[in-house]
Amino acid sequence: MTADSRVTATGASSGPGRAPATPAIDIKKQRRSMLASVTGQLLEWYEWSAYAVFAPFIAGALFNPQNQVSALLSTFGVFAIGFLFRPLGGVVFGRIADKRGRRFVLVTTMLMMAGGSVMIGLLPTFESIGIFASALLLLARVVQGFAHGGESATANSYIAEIAPAHRRGLWGSTVFMTIFGGAIIAFVIGGIITGTLSEPDVQSWGWRIPFLLGAVLAVVALWLRVGMVESQVFQADEATPAVEDPAATRTGSAALHAGLGAESFSAKTLAPLSRPLSIVLIFFLVSGVAASNYTWTSYVSTYAISQEGMDPSGAYWSLVAALVVGLAALPFWGAVSDRVGRRPVLLFFAIGVIVTQFPLMAFIDDRPWTLFVATSIGLFVLSAGASLLACVMAETFPTHARTASIGLAYSLATAVFGGTTPYVNQLAVSQGVPWAANAFILFAAALALWAVTRLPERRAIDLTIVR
């Protein structure tokens, strides 16, 4: 099947035990839709990361500047509250996506994230309106956290569903690429702004630039998303009664796009998992990824600066360079999983984290290159698990409950093991037991390892036969 081909799945005529015609598959439209989804996610993760990058300046502008420590803690507290609303957004928007479609939710969450960014960028200062500035910031972050939970759940479903089944791992890796990419953009823009403007100017108005810029760029992403196609898997699930193997009614390249039918898997592999067990397994898998991710992308530079005495500028650019390595590794692992299966790659991730976490953290000292090397290896291992989340979750949950289930498991795991990881790391170091922070990461990786051994291997399966 060439890149420019249009594939029309005519299906079989209606009749007992036969599926009706499957919607036409236009690969060009699929790829444009993937680009629209990825562009929107990239901007949303950029806006999410920009808050952390400019937290000290937000604290000075929107909280009581007379107590800088309290203001900064309050700023990060608001950041954490945004995480708490992600599971709720994941569940609510997940149910909407499973009823009204993926495209509707992806457009809605884009609007909400852009609205939150405009609100933050235009907020009056604490000096102007007092505590109301802090309250309005909290409201904006609650809206963004709620929208972000729905965006993450729906994007994971959507990309996996519109991807060619035999490239689902590769296409699915783009979801996590937007997380790394958004962080890179936020750090680079942060470096440009703080390097170009004086500190008083940044504190006065410069910190608003990334939020207003993100809102402007969101208009472009929104325009792209309005033209997205709906997932064929969702449309087929809405229109087609359950049959033993809908893929059996497709022929040629249409069947290739749809994926492998029931005849390609054992009865044990196809046996439906109970929804509670599926949610627990995905929760554990995502927990391992989230704990490792927030250690190597959010905490490790703070550790290098505060505990090892590394120059902040050196630590900053070392992290950016390492994120580029991690970004490149994601599609590599996604493509590998499309060839050898999901389980071998996920085992490499879970076991790799368990084996390397202690040595890599111990390797970091005050030289920036040590941070680059340790973080690059850590992100390379992490990418093996992160790149597969979208395809594994889609291959675990049935279409009619896919997005809602992902919204609950993914967002809850990210809130519990993602949002708390930097805090747990810092607490362990401050108490003189840095090994406990590594043990926390190993615990999450062990949960992921157990989940990998229980999840069925369903590489390239037709998602319409997942029950």
Side-chain angles (χ1 to χ4, degrees):
M1 180 169 58
T2 64
D4 296 329
S5 63
R6 171 186 287 268
V7 181
T8 304
T10 58
S13 59
S14 300
R18 306 295 296 273
T22 307
I25 300 170
D26 187 327
I27 300 303
K28 284 186 176 181
K29 288 185 177 180
Q30 301 287 69
R31 290 183 173 176
R32 285 198 296 269
S33 296
M34 182 187 74
L35 176 63
S37 178
V38 167
T39 302
Q41 292 168 63
L42 184 67
L43 284 173
E44 292 195 17
W45 278 107
Y46 154 71
E47 292 167 348
W48 190 262
S49 301
Y51 183 93
V53 172
F54 286 89
F57 301 102
I58 295 172
L62 303 180
F63 291 88
N64 188 353
Q66 301 303 316
N67 189 334
Q68 294 183 357
V69 174
S70 175
L72 187 57
L73 287 174
S74 298
T75 304
F76 280 120
V78 171
F79 182 73
I81 289 174
F83 268 96
L84 293 178
F85 275 83
R86 286 179 63 177
L88 179 60
V91 172
V92 172
F93 278 116
R95 290 182 63 85
I96 295 174
D98 287 335
K99 295 293 184 182
R100 294 200 55 177
R102 307 347 184 176
R103 189 176 73 92
F104 172 81
V105 170
L106 290 173
V107 171
T108 302
T109 55
M110 186 83 257
L111 283 170
M112 293 177 67
M113 284 294 295
S117 283
V118 171
M119 187 174 177
I120 294 173
L122 298 178
L123 278 177
T125 63
F126 185 90
E127 184 179 1
S128 300
I129 61 173
I131 193 66
F132 290 105
S134 309
L136 289 172
L137 175 65
L138 175 62
L139 175 62
R141 292 300 291 178
V142 166
V143 170
Q144 288 190 319
F146 188 75
H148 215 284
E151 165 75 20
S152 296
T154 309
N156 276 288
S157 291
Y158 183 76
I159 291 295
E161 289 177 352
I162 69 171
H166 289 74
R167 294 183 180 178
R168 190 178 293 138
L170 176 61
W171 281 43
S173 69
T174 61
V175 176
F176 221 88
M177 288 175 70
T178 64
I179 299 177
F180 285 1
I184 291 172
I185 295 172
F187 276 115
V188 169
I189 289 180
I192 292 173
I193 290 175
T194 56
T196 304
L197 301 178
S198 65
E199 185 171 339
D201 283 341
V202 177
Q203 183 61 69
S204 176
W205 56 270
W207 66 269
R208 300 178 185 273
I209 295 175
F211 298 101
L212 296 177
L213 177 63
V216 172
L217 294 176
V219 175
V220 178
L222 183 61
W223 175 75
L224 290 171
R225 285 195 168 185
V226 169
M228 292 166 64
V229 299
E230 185 54 87
S231 155
Q232 275 88 11
V233 173
F234 172 78
Q235 291 177 317
D237 187 75
E238 287 289 287
T240 307
V243 294
E244 182 181 355
D245 185 6
T249 66
R250 303 170 187 150
T251 60
S253 53
L256 180 66
H257 185 96
L260 302 176
E263 73 283 352
S264 300
F265 300 91
S266 67
K268 181 179 180 181
T269 300
L270 289 176
L273 299 174
S274 68
R275 188 166 184 243
L277 176 59
S278 297
I279 290 174
V280 168
L281 292 176
I282 295 300
F283 174 86
F284 284 169
L285 177 61
V286 177
S287 296
V289 171
S292 182
N293 176 45
Y294 282 89
T295 294
W296 292 111
T297 62
S298 299
Y299 174 73
V300 70
S301 60
T302 300
Y303 170 82
I305 294 168
S306 62
Q307 301 301 317
E308 300 295 338
M310 188 177 295
D311 173 65
S313 178
Y316 167 77
W317 289 111
S318 294
L319 182 60
V320 170
L323 280 168
V324 172
V325 174
L327 188 67
L330 286 165
F332 165 77
W333 286 120
V336 169
S337 78
D338 285 331
R339 294 184 64 88
V340 305
R342 318 303 186 204
R343 183 169 293 168
V345 178
L346 291 175
L347 287 174
F348 173 86
F349 153 70
I351 296 173
V353 171
I354 293 171
V355 171
T356 63
Q357 181 64 31
F358 273 93
L360 289 179
M361 290 298 291
F363 183 75
I364 299 171
D365 56 30
D366 62 346
R367 296 168 294 179
W369 71 267
T370 62
L371 177 62
F372 168 73
V373 170
T375 305
S376 295
I377 296 173
L379 291 178
F380 181 77
V381 173
L382 162 67
S383 295
S387 64
L388 269 60
L389 288 183
C391 65
V392 170
M393 290 188 295
E395 291 165 353
T396 299
F397 296 115
T399 302
H400 66 86
R402 181 170 293 126
T403 309
S405 300
I406 291 176
L408 177 60
Y410 184 92
S411 298
L412 189 61
T414 303
V416 173
F417 281 89
T420 62
T421 294
Y423 179 83
V424 170
N425 274 276
Q426 186 59 43
L427 179 64
V429 169
S430 67
Q431 296 299 316
V433 286
W435 60 266
N438 291 331
F440 178 76
I441 309 304
L442 264 62
F443 171 69
L447 294 179
L449 179 60
W450 179 78
V452 172
T453 63
R454 295 294 306 274
L455 286 166
E457 174 60 75
R458 293 173 175 173
R459 175 177 63 91
I461 193 173
D462 181 344
L463 295 181
T464 62
I465 67 173
V466 176
R467 295 288 178 257

